[in-house]
Amino acid sequence: MLVALHDLVMAAASFHLALQFRYWLADLPWSAGESWAGMLIFSAVAAIVFQYCGLYRGIWYFASLRDLLNIARASALSLLIFLPLLFFVTRLEAYPRSALVLQFFILVCLLAGPRLLYRSWKDGSLIEVLSRAEDKRVPVLLVGSGLAADAFIRETERNRLTEYRVVGILDNSESRQGRDMRGVRIVGNIEDLPEIVRNARDIDKPRRIIVADERIGGAAIRALLEKAAPLGLSVARLPRLTEFRKEGVGAQQPRPIDVEDLLGRPQRVLDRAPVAQLIANRRVLVTGAGGTIGSELVRQIADLKPALIVLFEQSEHALYQIDLEMAERFPAVPRAAVMGDVRVPDRIEQVFRQYRPEIVLHAAAYKHVPLVEANVEEAVLTNAIGTRLVAEACQRHGVATMVLISTDKAVNPTNVMGATKRVAEMICQSFDLTQGATRFVTVRFGNVLGSSGSVVPLFQRQLAAGGPLTVTHPEVTRFFMTTREAVELILQAAALPAGELHTEGKIFVLDMGEPMRIQDLARQMIRLAGLRPDVDIQIAFTGLRPGEKLYEEVLHRDEALVPTQQDGVLLAAPRVINLAELQPALETLMRAAKARETALVLAQLRQLVPEFQHAPLGQDKSAVKSAVDAAD
């Protein structure tokens, strides 16, 4: 109401002031009655037009260029309507046409001026200018000069109560260096950081670096951390523009650099429509639903509105955790929490018969390399024979699609875990070639960042304990992928059309980017903790463990990659064994595993996977055996 009254008063004042300016120091040719009539007519027109244009709906605190343009539009429209109405009343006798132009500019100033002054006063910027108070906010450098940087600078200008004050921008584009962005100079690139900090005035010496360009990947982030650490500068990152705002956190609130930021792979654009079509209104079963990959599969599937999710898990605690999370986050999604083991045929048959799944995602597996080396038979029965039992159940019950989650350790395996996962791949390949009702999809990728038993949680525990961080070998490298991205691409691969790509018997391979040295990851995690590698926290090299490779591969030498229509998903065609030939070998492998005949199990694995080069079981197992013999 106050805003409407203000705008009406300003409209009336603009009419009078326009005439006064036109007849500066001269008598008006209009009588007082004619002046009042014109003023009232214009005020009435303005009231209707301002309401139509939405001037009263604007919040003065957020007055912007868009509001200014709307004011100009409303002013022009008011004058255009007012002119013919005034003609009918006065025939425009003695009314100067130039007064219309003057009135337009006067009205815009009278309407916009108070709004902008109010915003400046509420921001505190007007008070600061008038008082010349010192800006005590934290001086920061931005990395990147794109839309996110522009939004962040605009927010710090609009709200002087924000924590940060931008004193410079780093950008690798040479054409932009030396130019200004909202009054902030682009002072150089990341390589110039030490010199920029050294030459800065004390009042403008940066105390933090904020990455505002989502295209900056892991290699640049790692280089930035190395440059910033000796200067005592912390590094943060603005949320990506594609990320949803978290509750209680502003859209422009910087967050600490995560380990995920070090990977160096840009965020891929995913086509969610085929995935939604695959999952929506269908019954989905996830084995290993409580694991790192399994639980993320459950979360993403639940978001796609399935008819039912069956959570199949051996671990009671893991099943309880994911079932509780589902109850809290997706209470409307029908689900069934089922305890069971993929190695038990009767239990699998019961679950398939009761819940009649249409999509099966098989993530259940033993994956920890040293533990699997010490428990060979258990890995065979779960990773290989368990996969066969699930695949047979899928084919028997007419499941539309079964997806096997595999690993890069299946390529030229040097450990039992990799060999058993390669056998699992061969099982699904051979079933896929039978041309039955079920489509079998195998997806292979590397390490998942932060998964249970992986190196990142280990480093985090060691950091909390004060170090050292243990790395097996100075040159050991691994492929890494975030859990979210891995699962998104798994679902994308499952949704790709089989006929167009001729996927029968082939394997989908996720593009993992470049491998990362574990030693470099350890050093960066130390820096992220605000500490210095080899000074505050030591790195200790312990030697490769039994079955561990210096580097992993995602392809065999003879596997040619074929691109698919989904960025980040490739197609490979490894060696395939006919199902009729594979089944007898699997029976032999299963009998040997159940009989705990380790030597025969390993021999059968070598027969099934000729490229399997198994290292000795290692001193740890020998030492345990010696201790047992000594006790006897």
Side-chain angles (χ1 to χ4, degrees), residues 2-171:
L2 289 176
V3 174
L5 181 60
H6 165 272
D7 290 350
L8 283 178
V9 171
M10 293 303 168
S14 69
F15 179 84
H16 179 71
L17 288 173
L19 290 176
Q20 290 292 339
F21 278 116
R22 170 64 181 82
Y23 295 101
W24 188 257
L25 300 178
D27 294 331
L28 290 177
W30 278 20
S31 66
E34 290 174 324
S35 295
W36 276 103
M39 186 182 299
L40 290 175
I41 292 172
F42 180 74
S43 298
V45 170
I48 297 171
V49 173
F50 291 174
Q51 178 69 35
Y52 171 76
C53 293
L55 259 61
Y56 306 148
R57 296 195 301 269
I59 300 175
W60 285 26
Y61 180 61
F62 298 106
S64 62
L65 178 61
R66 178 176 295 179
D67 294 300
L68 179 61
L69 293 175
N70 197 30
I71 287 171
R73 183 168 68 97
S75 301
L77 184 58
S78 298
L79 289 168
L80 288 175
I81 296 173
F82 166 68
L83 186 60
L85 290 177
L86 187 64
F87 174 80
F88 284 115
V89 175
T90 68
R91 299 295 178 180
L92 297 181
E93 294 177 1
Y95 182 79
R97 311 302 186 270
S98 57
L100 285 174
V101 179
L102 288 171
Q103 187 176 355
F104 171 77
F105 290 105
I106 292 171
L107 181 57
V108 169
C109 291
L110 291 177
L111 293 176
R115 285 169 165 82
L116 297 177
L117 286 173
Y118 177 82
R119 173 175 170 171
S120 299
W121 174 66
K122 293 293 287 185
D123 284 346
S125 55
L126 179 62
I127 296 173
E128 184 178 332
V129 169
L130 295 175
S131 63
R132 303 295 181 184
E134 181 182 357
D135 194 339
K136 296 181 179 180
R137 295 178 298 168
V138 177
V140 299
L141 285 174
L142 291 185
V143 178
S145 57
L147 293 175
D150 176 75
F152 185 78
I153 295 171
R154 189 168 65 247
E155 175 69 14
T156 59
E157 290 176 345
R158 185 188 67 81
N159 185 2
R160 294 304 175 109
L161 298 178
T162 55
E163 182 180 354
Y164 303 110
R165 173 170 59 92
V166 182
V167 296
I169 302 173
L170 303 178
D171 196 295

Side-chain angles (χ1 to χ4, degrees), residues 188-208:
N189 55 38
I190 293 175
E191 293 298 320
D192 301 327
L193 181 60
E195 183 181 355
I196 291 168
V197 174
R198 186 170 56 250
N199 294 334
R201 298 183 306 164
D202 288 343
I203 192 174
D204 291 331
K205 194 173 288 294
R207 293 175 12 216
R208 196 172 196 190

Side-chain angles (χ1 to χ4, degrees), residues 227-433:
K227 293 282 186 183
L231 301 170
L233 299 175
S234 62
V235 181
R237 169 164 229 158
L238 290 180
R240 292 177 173 88
L241 296 177
T242 53
E243 292 178 355
F244 288 106
R245 183 183 301 186
K246 296 181 180 179
E247 185 177 355
V249 179
Q252 295 298 322
Q253 182 69 26
R255 60 172 176 80
I257 293 290
D258 293 328
V259 179
E260 295 180 2
D261 295 318
L262 305 177
L263 293 184
R265 191 167 40 257
Q267 186 172 349
R268 294 185 173 93
V269 178
L270 301 174
D271 185 3
R272 300 186 184 276
V275 178
Q277 188 175 2
L278 175 73
I279 299 297
N281 299 315
R282 304 182 89 173
R283 299 179 298 277
V284 183
L285 179 134
V286 180
T287 70
T292 303
I293 292 294
S295 59
E296 182 63 21
L297 277 168
V298 169
R299 293 182 196 102
Q300 294 195 24
I301 290 169
D303 203 35
L304 297 171
K305 298 179 175 57
L308 172 70
I309 301 182
V310 181
L311 315 176
F312 191 85
E313 174 60 57
Q314 180 190 31
S315 166
E316 178 189 22
H317 179 68
L319 181 60
Y320 167 75
Q321 292 286 350
I322 187 60
D323 185 51
L324 180 63
E325 181 181 341
M326 287 289 293
E328 293 173 348
R329 293 183 56 185
F330 302 98
V333 176
R335 71 185 189 282
V338 178
M339 281 195 292
D341 193 331
V342 295
R343 309 188 324 184
V344 181
D346 292 343
R347 183 57 169 153
I348 293 175
E349 177 65 20
Q350 179 190 8
V351 170
F352 272 73
R353 187 175 298 166
Q354 180 177 354
Y355 296 107
R356 297 178 291 113
E358 299 169 88
I359 307 291
V360 172
L361 294 117
H362 181 46
Y366 287 138
K367 63 176 185 177
H368 196 268
V369 171
L371 288 178
V372 167
E373 288 298 309
N375 300 273
V376 174
E377 294 81 11
E378 301 305 309
V380 167
L381 292 173
T382 296
N383 295 359
I385 305 306
T387 299
R388 184 182 75 160
L389 293 175
V390 173
E392 288 174 342
C394 287
Q395 193 175 62
R396 192 164 54 247
H397 289 271
V399 170
T401 304
M402 172 183 167
V403 181
L404 169 67
I405 313 301
S406 190
T407 170
D408 58 355
K409 292 178 176 59
V411 180
N412 298 320
T414 60
N415 52 63
V416 174
M417 187 273 200
T420 56
K421 292 299 285 185
R422 176 62 192 127
V423 173
E425 290 183 350
M426 294 163 61
I427 291 168
C428 287
Q429 287 178 273
S430 61
F431 270 96
D432 196 35
L433 290 173

Side-chain angles (χ1 to χ4, degrees), residues 535-586:
V535 178
D536 301 317
I537 298 290
Q538 299 298 318
I539 295 176
F541 298 101
T542 60
L544 291 174
R545 299 171 297 183
E548 187 176 33
K549 290 197 285 188
L550 196 62
Y551 60 92
E552 300 288 1
E553 308 158 275
V554 292
L555 290 172
H556 294 281
R557 288 189 303 272
D558 299 329
E559 290 179 1
L561 281 178
V562 177
T564 69
Q565 62 199 52
Q566 173 57 53
D567 178 36
V569 179
L570 305 170
L571 196 60
R575 178 176 58 90
V576 180
I577 298 180
N578 184 276
L579 184 60
E581 299 176 9
L582 184 60
Q583 289 285 27
L586 292 175

